[in-house]
Amino acid sequence: MPRMDFDLFSVSQGPLRDAFWQLASAGPAVSVGVGALLVIKQSRTLACFLLAAGCVGAAVTALIVHFGYVVLIWSGHESAIWMLDEAAALTGFAAGVLATALAAAGVALARRSKRVRGRPPT
């Protein structure tokens, strides 16, 4: 497998690196929010979609970061590998949930505007 030239954690990728760590720190709060949505009966379907998207995002991001960066740079440093893999999973989970929530909000707004335009004037 060829080595990727894109290094997320290099100095030149500051904004991406900062976004990565911000999403990683938001991951636990996002998971609590999705868990709270699971309890509410009216939002349970949305919460299931958010949970599924978060899990897919976590798995994909963890695999990409692990094999594209962590193993290549940090092999032999178990604690760094564990920390970076956990941060990648949290980042992927938060990003997947946030992207799906934005898409769901867009769909809801589109349906609402369609309903409002179709209503006869009173």
Side-chain angles (χ1 to χ4, degrees):
M1 182 169 122
R3 183 170 189 266
M4 298 184 337
D5 290 335
F6 178 72
D7 185 4
L8 176 67
F9 298 101
S10 71
V11 174
S12 65
Q13 300 297 332
L16 288 176
R17 182 186 61 233
D18 294 343
F20 177 88
W21 289 112
Q22 289 294 325
L23 283 170
S25 64
V30 170
S31 63
V32 168
V34 171
L37 285 176
L38 279 170
V39 174
I40 302 169
K41 188 173 184 176
Q42 293 86 359
S43 63
R44 200 165 288 156
T45 303
L46 173 64
C48 287
F49 281 120
L50 294 176
L51 187 62
C55 290
V56 169
V60 169
T61 306
L63 285 171
I64 289 172
V65 170
H66 180 76
F67 290 111
Y69 174 76
V70 174
V71 171
L72 298 174
I73 305 296
W74 294 98
S75 61
H77 301 281
E78 276 304 307
S79 62
I81 292 172
W82 279 99
M83 184 200 66
L84 288 168
D85 285 345
E86 180 183 0
L90 288 171
T91 298
F93 183 81
V97 167
L98 293 175
T100 305
L102 288 174
V107 168
L109 286 174
R111 285 184 181 170
R112 182 177 180 198
S113 69
K114 191 174 186 180
R115 231 183 1 237
V116 169
R117 276 187 274 137
R119 183 182 310 155
T122 56

